[in-house]
């Protein structure tokens, strides 16, 4: 071995605090308010993007770990890609029990280089307040975009939509510069021309492409519209995920679990945000952007704002479920180093993330993010509290952040109150393309469940062995019921079931030849309305859910209608 292997340490610099074990990763909209911090972040990201693919710590090389160009990173695994056409050629693990823990060192790797570059950039500064700049540089961490915390503007952070941004330059004067969050511009050595169509013809990453031709641009209006239409549902989904799931199988990934969990997994929430940021052909625009396809998503700069937040949600959930961590499970489709359907557990190597010259990080070592020298602000001041009090404070914070923004009308409150949702399942590889199932009540859009899967022309070409892999998610109905049916007498079966006859389902996404997908194409779709009694509880208590009652077969004549006996198959 001639060149040392890249070892993931997390950010190397950072100060010691009394109220937290390591510097905070900050919410992006808070993060940008510190102009020094934002200026260093933008320039650090520019330098990462300027670096060449041959540098393991360049933006392109880090992004390429996730999927394309399907090459070895950091001397991990075979030097050549898997030859089996059923075998996925990236290192990322989706649909498996290590989805949350694999992405933890991945974001830490990004953050490690971001912090290092920020500390290089600050050396160029010759300003009177240099001490403050140096402090900011040492403590800079990868910010998270808390997409479930909906701002009054109901829009995405403006900084990801602008081609240029204003920063403070090394001489202390304002400076306008190109925005590395707007897109990543490919270099020939990134091998982007080996990506499948339409990605091979695009010289930069796109969010909601204006078309599938070579001149496509990002349509930021479509991005904001998609976010706005989904934000309230995503907030409800995030709240239900954090407060109702209590085991790793349901929480960690989107693959169907026999016993229903009543909320989206962390990965399912994450999948829909990939669609919201990248776009899928058919709803707001005509083409799928990079974030919508896992083989190229790691090259979109907003990926890291999103995945830092996914890591934070993992931390919030883990703090409420301290005895729960990775359980054994399969890796459908395999990865660069994991065989198809290989069994993974808490001691599996999270390749390609070296923790020394000869060993990899394992999920068992990654329970506490302090190991990568970062923390989250929700935990500040809680570290020294006794466990029960710490838990109560955390629940209170989660409720403040995510308890649904809509109110249960007073006439519906009480012991008879029921929550309604749709349990949605489908085979994720059935259409050979990423897609999302859209739910409407009458003509009112309600929510979606997304298949964040590679397009057919990728190396996971046929995925025949995993063609049966089923994923699941939920769409919550009470908000739209209360808003659109104000005369609704109660949330009991006899009052709600007749309304569900107004449900409509559509599909967004396109075939490799560009033609739009239709809901009728998704023959594996199964949809069942489900309800349960629901009590919110005190501000520092988790909600209580009653036994779920499934209403199979009531969507007669609609896509996905499934009789009870076919549901589990
Ligand atoms: Cu992702």
């Amino acid at each position: 071995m001639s060149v040392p292997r890249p070892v993931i340490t997390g950010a190397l610099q950072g100060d010691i605090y009394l109220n937290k074990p390591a510097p905070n990763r900050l919410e992006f909209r808070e993060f940008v308010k510190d102009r020094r911090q934002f200026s260093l972040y933008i320039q650090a990201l520019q330098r990462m993007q300027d670096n060449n693919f041959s540098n393991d710590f360049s933006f392109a090389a880090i992004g390429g770990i996730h999927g394309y160009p399907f090459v070895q990173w950091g001397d991990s695994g075979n030097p050549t890609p898997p030859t089996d056409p059923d075998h996925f050629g990236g290192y990322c693990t989706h649909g498996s029990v290590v989805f949350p823990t694999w992405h933890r060192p991945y974001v830490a790797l990004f953050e490690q280089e971001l912090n290092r570059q920020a500390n290089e950039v600050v050396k160029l500064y010759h300003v009177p307040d240099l001490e403050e700049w140096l402090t900011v540089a040492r403590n800079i961490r990868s910010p998270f975009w808390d997409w479930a915390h909906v701002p009054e503007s109901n829009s995405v952070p403006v900084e990801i939509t602008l081609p240029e941004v204003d920063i403070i330059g090394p001489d202390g004067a304002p400076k306008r510069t190109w925005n590395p969050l707007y897109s990543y511009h490919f270099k020939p050595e990134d091998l982007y021309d080996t990506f499948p169509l339409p990605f091979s013809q695009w010289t930069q990453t796109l969010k909601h492409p204006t078309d599938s031709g070579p001149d496509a641009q990002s349509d930021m209006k479509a991005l904001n519209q998609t976010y706005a239409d989904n934000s309230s549902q995503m907030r409800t989904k995030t709240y239900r995920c954090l407060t109702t799931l209590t085991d790793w199988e349901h929480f960690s990934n989107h693959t169907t679990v026999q016993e229903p969990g009543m909320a989206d997994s962390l990965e399912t929430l994450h999948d829909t945000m990939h669609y919201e940021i990248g776009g899928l052909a058919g709803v707001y625009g005509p083409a799928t952007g990079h974030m919508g396809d896992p083989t190229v998503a790691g090259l979109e700069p907003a990926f890291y704002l999103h995945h830092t937040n996914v890591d934070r949600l993992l931390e919030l959930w883990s703090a409420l479920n301290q005895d729960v961590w990775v359980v054994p499970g399969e890796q459908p489709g395999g990865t660069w180093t994991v065989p198809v359907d290989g069994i993974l557990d808490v001691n599996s190597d999270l390749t390609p993330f070296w923790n020394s010259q000869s060993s990899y990080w394992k999920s068992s070592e990654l329970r506490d993010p302090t190991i990568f020298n970062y923390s989250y602000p929700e935990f500040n001041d809680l570290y020294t509290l006794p466990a029960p009090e710490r838990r109560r404070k955390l629940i209170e914070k989660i409720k403040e952040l995510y308890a649904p923004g809509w109110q249960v009308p007073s006439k519906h409150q009480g012991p008879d109150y029921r929550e309604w949702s749709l349990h949605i399942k489908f085979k994720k590889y059935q259409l050979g393309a990423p897609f999302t199932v859209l739910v409407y009540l009458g003509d009112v859009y309600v929510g979606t469940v997304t298949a964040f899967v590679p397009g057919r022309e990728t190396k996971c070409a046929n995925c025949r062995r995993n063609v049966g892999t089923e994923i699941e998610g939920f769409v919550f109905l009470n908000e739209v019921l209360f808003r659109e049916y104000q005369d609704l007498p109660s949330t009991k079966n006899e009052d709600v079931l007749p309304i569900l006859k107004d449900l409509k389902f559509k599909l967004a996404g396109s075939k490799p030849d560009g033609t739009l997908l239709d809901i009728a194409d998704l023959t594996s779709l199964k949809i069942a309305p489900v309800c349960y009694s629901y009590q919110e509880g005190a501000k520092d208590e988790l909600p209580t859910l009653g036994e779920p009652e499934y209403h199979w077969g009531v969507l007669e004549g609609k896509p996905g209608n499934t009789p009870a006996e076919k549901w589990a198959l």
Side-chain angles (χ1 to χ4, degrees), residues 66 94 99 103 270-271 274 291 297 303 306-307 310 452:
H66 205 264
H94 291 95
F99 164 78
H103 286 81
H270 143 276
D271 291 349
H274 269 275
M291 267 296 262
F303 178 98
H306 171 42
H307 267 278
V310 171
F452 177 52

Side-chain angles (χ1 to χ4, degrees), residues 261-533:
M262 291 305 115
D264 283 1
S265 69
L266 178 65
E267 186 178 21
T268 312
L269 299 174
H270 143 276
D271 291 349
T272 292
M273 283 314 300
H274 269 275
Y275 145 62
E276 286 190 34
I277 300 168
L280 281 173
V283 205
Y284 305 98
T288 299
H290 291 76
M291 267 296 262
D293 187 316
T295 61
V296 291
L299 296 158
E300 157 61 50
F303 178 98
Y304 301 92
L305 294 173
H306 171 42
H307 267 278
T308 308
N309 191 46
V310 171
D311 186 78
R312 170 177 155 275
L313 294 175
L314 164 65
E315 199 47 24
L316 287 172
W317 183 85
S318 295
L320 297 181
N321 297 278
Q322 294 204 320
D323 303 329
V324 188
W325 198 240
V326 178
V327 296
E330 283 182 358
Q331 180 58 58
T335 73
W336 184 276
T337 54
V338 180
V340 176
D341 296 336
I343 299 292
L344 299 172
D345 64 24
V346 73
N347 292 314
S348 299
D349 289 336
L350 299 172
T351 53
F353 305 124
W354 298 103
N355 71 355
S356 76
Q357 286 303 312
S358 57
S359 58
Y360 295 104
W361 287 105
K362 298 170 172 37
S363 302
S364 59
E365 301 161 330
L366 298 175
R367 288 206 62 150
D368 182 355
T370 316
I371 199 150
F372 288 136
N373 201 11
Y374 69 86
S375 65
Y376 290 109
E378 287 77 12
F379 297 88
N380 290 354
D381 300 310
L382 299 189
Y383 292 94
T384 51
L385 294 179
E389 197 184 338
R390 181 164 177 257
R391 178 183 171 83
R392 282 200 302 276
K393 295 242 167 180
L394 261 180
I395 294 173
E396 214 175 314
K397 275 192 189 173
I398 288 170
K399 288 199 166 194
E400 277 167 22
L401 283 169
Y402 304 124
W406 46 275
Q407 298 288 326
V408 179
S410 51
K411 68 173 172 182
H412 295 307
Q413 291 173 13
D416 288 339
Y417 176 66
R418 294 173 90 72
E419 286 261 315
W420 286 81
S421 57
L422 296 175
H423 190 168
I424 298 177
K425 312 199 283 188
F426 45 77
K427 291 180 178 163
K428 68 173 178 176
Y429 296 120
Q430 194 197 335
L431 302 179
F435 61 91
T436 200
V437 175
L438 305 158
V439 177
Y440 299 78
L441 192 57
D443 293 322
V444 179
Y445 175 69
V446 189
T448 193
V449 177
T450 305
F452 177 52
V453 297
R456 195 197 300 271
E457 285 179 39
T458 68
K459 288 249 168 85
C460 192
N462 303 307
C463 289
R464 278 187 209 92
R465 252 180 287 173
N466 295 291
V467 80
T469 307
E470 196 182 57
I471 62 176
E472 64 184 348
F474 291 81
V475 168
F476 295 94
L477 298 174
N478 282 40
E479 176 181 15
V480 70
L481 284 174
F482 297 148
R483 198 180 62 226
E484 302 296 323
Y485 298 84
Q486 289 177 8
D487 298 336
L488 187 73
S490 81
T491 50
K492 290 180 184 156
N493 293 351
E494 59 265 35
D495 293 321
V496 175
L497 283 174
I499 294 177
L500 302 187
K501 302 218 180 313
D502 294 340
L503 283 167
K504 289 181 192 160
F505 305 100
K506 291 186 199 167
L507 212 64
S510 55
K511 293 178 192 161
D513 67 4
T515 52
L516 292 183
L517 292 168
D518 189 88
I519 191 81
D521 300 334
L522 191 63
T523 51
S524 63
L525 181 66
K526 294 176 183 176
I527 304 178
V530 53
C531 65
Y532 41 81
S533 70

